[in-house]
Amino acid sequence: MRAFVIPAVLGLAFISSGCQSQKSRSACEQDVERLKGAIDRTAGYLEEVRPELKAGFLALDDCDVRFRACEPALWLERAEAMRLEYLDVRARFARAVDVYHPDACVAYMRGYSRNAPQPRTYNGFYYSLEETGDQIDELIERFNKRVRT
């Protein structure tokens, strides 16, 4: 019995230590800086893409009015370029969030020169990114229909 208990306890300790692995201070600081940079870049991207989305939807309105100038092929190309940029921004943001593990950095949290972002801060960006992606997809779909007709 004793021969079975010791390996089981050691195995359990090994498994639980894997879940609680700590990162080095420099790795944690790099993760925090990467996450802050991703948040800043994502916020900047969302601000920059809003006017472009608005212009795209206004162009769709122009396409619906028979006597207004409408260039659906040009707008389809622009929307597809927006999608590529969106995918890049979203992937970089998701990677920065995935790499950051606050539980692995608890020992260093108080010593940061710049505070680590709270999960509610960066998780809110997922909603904004998804909404933006949906709008880009809608533009592509609707301009694509107009190019085909």
Side-chain angles (χ1 to χ4, degrees):
M1 171 89 169
R2 193 175 243 195
F4 175 75
V5 172
I6 292 174
V9 170
L10 289 176
L12 185 58
F14 178 75
I15 290 171
S16 65
S17 70
C19 295
Q20 299 294 327
S21 63
Q22 293 292 307
K23 290 185 173 189
S24 70
R25 180 181 186 86
S26 65
C28 289
E29 287 177 352
Q30 288 174 356
D31 291 351
V32 167
E33 292 306 313
R34 182 183 302 113
L35 181 57
K36 286 182 174 189
I39 289 170
D40 290 345
R41 283 187 299 279
T42 302
Y45 163 76
L46 290 169
E47 286 299 315
E48 289 173 11
V49 78
R50 282 187 186 119
E52 187 76 7
L53 288 170
K54 183 177 179 179
F57 283 104
L58 289 173
L60 278 172
D61 290 343
D62 288 345
C63 289
D64 290 340
V65 177
R66 187 175 204 153
F67 298 109
R68 289 199 182 157
C70 175
E71 299 179 26
L74 176 67
W75 272 102
L76 177 60
E77 201 174 300
R78 286 174 76 176
E80 287 172 343
M82 280 192 279
R83 181 190 295 170
L84 291 176
E85 185 179 11
Y86 161 79
L87 292 172
D88 181 58
V89 168
R90 190 178 190 301
R92 289 174 189 262
F93 178 77
R95 175 71 179 140
V97 171
D98 288 345
V99 168
Y100 177 61
H101 297 285
D103 294 343
C105 298
V106 169
Y108 313 114
M109 293 300 247
R110 288 193 177 144
Y112 287 144
S113 58
R114 292 175 38 178
N115 292 332
Q118 295 296 315
R120 68 179 178 273
T121 300
Y122 54 84
N123 285 333
F125 280 98
Y126 279 114
Y127 173 78
S128 297
L129 283 168
E130 286 303 314
E131 187 176 82
T132 299
D134 291 345
Q135 290 173 343
I136 292 169
D137 289 344
E138 182 181 349
L139 284 175
I140 290 171
E141 180 184 329
R142 291 177 64 187
F143 280 120
N144 198 17
K145 285 179 185 176
R146 283 169 176 78
V147 168
R148 289 184 195 168
T149 58

